[in-house]
Amino acid sequence: MSNKYVEMGLRAPVNLTWEVSLACNLRCTTCLSSSGEPAAGELTTAEALDLVEQVHQARVFQINFGGGEPFMRPDFEQILDACHSRGIMTCISTNGTLIDAERVARLSKTKLVAIQVSLDGASPATCDAVRGKGVFNRAVEAVKLLAASEIPTSINTVLTTQNAGEIPAMYELARSLSVSLRVSRFRPSGRGADNWEQLRPTPSQLLEFSDWLAKSGDVRTGDSFFSLTSQERQGLGLNLCGAAKLTCCVGPTGNMYPCAFLQTDRFFAGSLRERSFQQIWDDSEIYDSFRSLRIHSCEECTRFDQCHGGCPAVAWHLKNDINGGDPECLERCVTSIADTARIAAAA
């Protein structure tokens, strides 16, 4: 599928991110949505099942479920069953603490589910500093249960300054557990915004990760373009933002947004309690603005064809401007390190 075709917008998203609840039994410092207690007015079971049917009618291929912790929602497996009965692929992002043998057995009855377990360090000390005491061991046990089943399983790690040095060890841990590794960018959204300065990777760490990633062809990133990705890895993902083009987000109360990292009033696309999924996808002014978004300030960059300006969500949260290019792009990292070196030399 060409970038030109994608930029025009599709009749429906290829995949949908659905944050089914803000309820969570953890309080992770990197959480994109400040999850904890359920949101007021979350979709009822009937409304959720109706959305599944609407998504099916729109011919969405896959739903990526997140939160919060999806398994905190009592009817979540009912929602999954409704998806699977319609042939919709599902991927569940979970902290793993609510995974047990019985749940794995139930989920294993279909070929339409994949699970990624969040693990933010190769050691209990590093991971638990982000996710809470004892979470590392509980998550690893969940991965072992899943790996012993036929459910495609991955570990997802959010890259921070605390765990940047452990990414190769995370890769080895995933291999030892017979699962794959995904590495996602840390974004200043939700609780992550509160902890941004203390957890954001340094430019040097981002460059080191980029170098390592280029040599690790079987490691996925949690982003479709990932502005750190080298040219050799372009085949592993679309090299531009897919928000409102290939994907979109539904929040816990049925509000729709371009992506999970832009669940704010500024980027509200419409409410499923007022309009249908297809109507919002087709007619939302916010979605239309993303489909026509061009990062002109980045067009002269030698890496433009690799990232097309990077992540608008990061640009918004850090600069209050989705048009200005990703502040953490690789070229800016190189410039930042060079400037620091010049200042140090002149001191």
Side-chain angles (χ1 to χ4, degrees):
M1 184 181 300
S2 71
N3 287 347
K4 181 178 181 181
Y5 182 69
V6 170
E7 289 171 356
M8 293 170 59
L10 304 178
R11 295 182 62 181
V14 175
N15 62 66
L16 166 69
T17 296
W18 185 355
E19 309 288 290
V20 288
S21 178
L22 281 186
C24 190
N25 55 335
L26 304 183
R27 300 295 185 273
C28 302
T29 56
T30 56
C31 181
L32 68 91
S33 57
S34 299
S35 296
E37 297 302 317
E42 293 189 351
L43 294 179
T44 65
T45 299
E47 288 173 325
L49 296 179
D50 180 66
L51 175 56
V52 172
E53 177 58 24
Q54 290 188 55
V55 168
H56 170 61
Q57 292 298 325
R59 298 187 179 181
V60 173
F61 176 73
Q62 177 173 306
I63 299 178
N64 300 322
F65 285 103
E69 168 53 50
F71 290 111
M72 288 285 288
R73 183 168 171 135
D75 60 358
F76 180 54
E77 290 192 36
Q78 184 179 353
I79 296 171
L80 286 177
D81 289 342
C83 292
H84 300 154
S85 69
R86 291 164 173 80
I88 301 173
M89 295 288 298
T90 60
C91 180
I92 306 166
S93 295
T94 175
N95 60 43
T97 62
L98 302 180
I99 298 289
D100 56 24
E102 290 75 17
R103 194 183 298 277
V104 171
R106 290 194 300 273
L107 295 175
S108 297
K109 294 178 181 179
T110 178
K111 302 292 186 181
L112 297 176
V113 65
I115 296 181
Q116 65 173 33
V117 178
S118 297
L119 203 62
D120 289 319
S123 66
T126 303
C127 182
D128 291 359
V130 172
R131 310 190 70 78
K133 186 176 180 180
V135 172
F136 176 86
N137 290 331
R138 294 167 69 187
V140 167
E141 289 305 311
V143 172
K144 290 178 179 178
L145 285 172
L146 290 163
S149 75
E150 295 185 0
I151 299 173
T153 303
S154 61
I155 289 173
N156 184 71
T157 299
V158 176
L159 182 69
T160 66
T161 191
Q162 293 179 339
N163 67 20
E166 295 186 12
I167 298 300
M170 287 294 304
Y171 176 68
E172 294 303 325
L173 174 62
R175 288 188 63 186
S176 72
L177 296 171
S178 300
V179 299
S180 59
L181 176 67
R182 297 173 74 249
V183 182
S184 298
R185 288 183 66 182
F186 176 41
R187 289 177 170 85
S189 170
R191 197 174 292 121
D194 299 333
N195 299 294
W196 174 251
E197 292 302 330
Q198 69 187 70
L199 292 179
R200 67 184 300 186
T202 66
S204 293
Q205 288 174 325
L206 290 172
L207 287 170
E208 289 171 5
F209 172 68
S210 178
D211 289 341
W212 179 84
L213 189 65
K215 303 169 187 175
S216 308
D218 57 341
V219 175
R220 299 282 176 171
T221 66
D223 304 84
S224 58
F225 55 87
F226 213 90
S227 62
L228 305 177
T229 302
S230 67
Q231 189 169 3
E232 290 75 15
R233 289 181 54 90
Q234 280 193 34
L236 294 182
L238 187 71
N239 58 343
L240 80 166
C241 173
K245 305 180 187 81
L246 285 176
T247 187
C248 64
C249 174
V250 173
T253 62
N255 291 341
M256 291 180 62
Y257 304 93
C259 80
F261 299 97
L262 292 173
Q263 296 181 74
T264 66
D265 292 343
R266 166 66 177 79
F267 298 100
F268 171 71
S271 170
L272 289 166
R273 286 172 168 152
E274 298 173 359
R275 305 175 72 198
S276 72
F277 178 85
Q278 191 69 60
Q279 286 174 326
I280 296 171
W281 176 258
D282 289 342
D283 302 330
S284 164
E285 292 182 6
I286 285 294
Y287 287 174
D288 184 62
S289 69
F290 270 75
R291 289 164 189 156
S292 60
L293 179 64
R294 302 291 184 273
I295 312 300
H296 295 297
S297 61
C298 295
E299 288 179 344
E300 299 303 316
C301 177
T302 58
R303 293 177 57 84
F304 182 72
D305 287 342
Q306 295 168 249
C307 73
H308 286 262
C311 178
V314 175
W316 171 258
H317 287 297
L318 293 184
K319 301 192 304 182
N320 200 36
D321 179 15
I322 64 172
N323 298 290
D326 194 325
E328 286 195 324
C329 81
L330 197 62
E331 290 299 320
R332 287 188 172 92
C333 289
V334 173
T335 301
S336 174
I337 292 173
D339 290 344
T340 299
R342 281 195 295 269
I343 292 171

